Amino acid sequence: MSTALLALAAGAVIGLALGALGGGGSVLAVPALIYLLGFTPAAATTASLIIVTATSATALYAHARDGNVRWRTGALFAAAGLLPAALGGLAAGQLPPSLLTGAFALVAAVAALRMFRQAPQEEGSRPVRPGRAAGAGAGLGAVTGVLGVGGGFLAVPALVGALGLRMRAAVGTSLLVITANSLAALVARGGSAHGIDWAVLAPFAGTAVLGAWDGKRLAAKVSGDALRRVFASVLLAVAALMLIDVIV
């Protein structure tokens, strides 16, 4: 299969996962870019940020149209993560490839294990704690900047637990946070985007955006729990393979 076709297929699968699960699908972008399309770990995390920004902004528009985005809350949460995202973006280019790959594999494993657990409650029950919200926002920004993942699997539980948002509003608001953090990390990386093969990345990102819309429709027809378990199983397998690659 040619590189262009691989990019189209990988983008479609990741877009479907993003649309169907609302978060976590972008975690597959980095290993797909490294192992299927030949990107270096540093280039893959930068390219993943571009994909995450495009898909998150598209999904944000859809959720905002449905009234599921809490703009002020999301802006405050995102503000705490902007500086860590920018610093993480700068640091990523200085890290050894093996360390970057290993760290990503660990985060992917955590994401998979979280997905195996029961989904968050429909309505948050904890009071808003500004300190906790700021800490969660900063941590999410750092993960986004260094590893090039959106962090929806971390943002949604934080918005529900720390800020007491309902699940649907948390998913929509997380997309605002993810978009802001991804843009901050991309700006910080600056010139690193010049080494990206746009002939490969463009179809990847395009099919991911289109796949996200199809994934949203798929979610209405298939059990969310079944989708989550299948995706978590694939993600855990990918994380294990990446860790083996680093160790061996």
Side-chain angles (χ1 to χ4, degrees):
M1 185 181 292
S2 69
T3 302
L5 288 177
L6 280 174
L8 289 169
V13 170
I14 289 164
L16 281 170
L18 279 166
L21 301 172
S26 60
V27 178
L28 280 180
V30 171
L33 289 164
I34 293 174
Y35 295 108
L36 293 180
L37 303 175
F39 281 57
T40 65
T45 53
T46 300
S48 178
L49 284 171
I50 297 171
I51 295 165
V52 168
T53 302
T55 53
S56 297
T58 302
L60 174 62
Y61 169 76
H63 281 269
R65 189 176 57 184
D66 293 338
N68 293 327
V69 180
R70 303 295 178 263
W71 294 98
R72 187 177 177 210
T73 299
L76 291 172
F77 193 89
L82 290 179
L83 181 59
L87 293 175
L90 290 172
Q94 310 303 318
L95 297 176
S98 60
L99 178 59
L100 201 59
T101 302
F104 182 90
L106 290 175
V107 170
V110 169
L113 293 174
R114 289 186 70 95
M115 287 181 184
F116 276 122
R117 297 172 58 187
Q118 186 177 358
Q121 297 295 319
E122 179 63 23
E123 187 170 351
S125 57
R126 298 180 183 177
V128 176
R129 299 178 182 176
R132 181 176 180 178
L140 177 64
V143 170
T144 299
V146 175
L147 301 181
V149 297
F153 61 93
L154 298 172
V156 172
L159 288 167
V160 171
L163 301 182
L165 295 187
R166 297 191 177 196
M167 184 61 188
R168 187 170 296 179
V171 170
T173 305
S174 75
L175 292 166
L176 172 62
V177 177
I178 292 165
T179 302
N181 285 343
S182 299
L183 282 173
L186 273 174
V187 170
R189 293 191 182 211
S192 64
H194 294 306
I196 292 176
D197 186 350
W198 289 95
V200 173
L201 182 59
F204 193 120
T207 53
V209 170
L210 293 175
W213 290 98
D214 290 332
K216 191 174 181 181
R217 289 192 289 268
L218 177 65
K221 300 178 181 179
V222 181
S223 164
D225 287 338
L227 284 171
R228 192 178 297 109
R229 284 194 297 270
V230 170
F231 182 80
S233 299
V234 173
L235 187 56
L236 193 59
V238 169
L241 289 173
M242 292 181 78
L243 282 174
I244 291 171
D245 185 45
V246 172
I247 294 171
V248 174

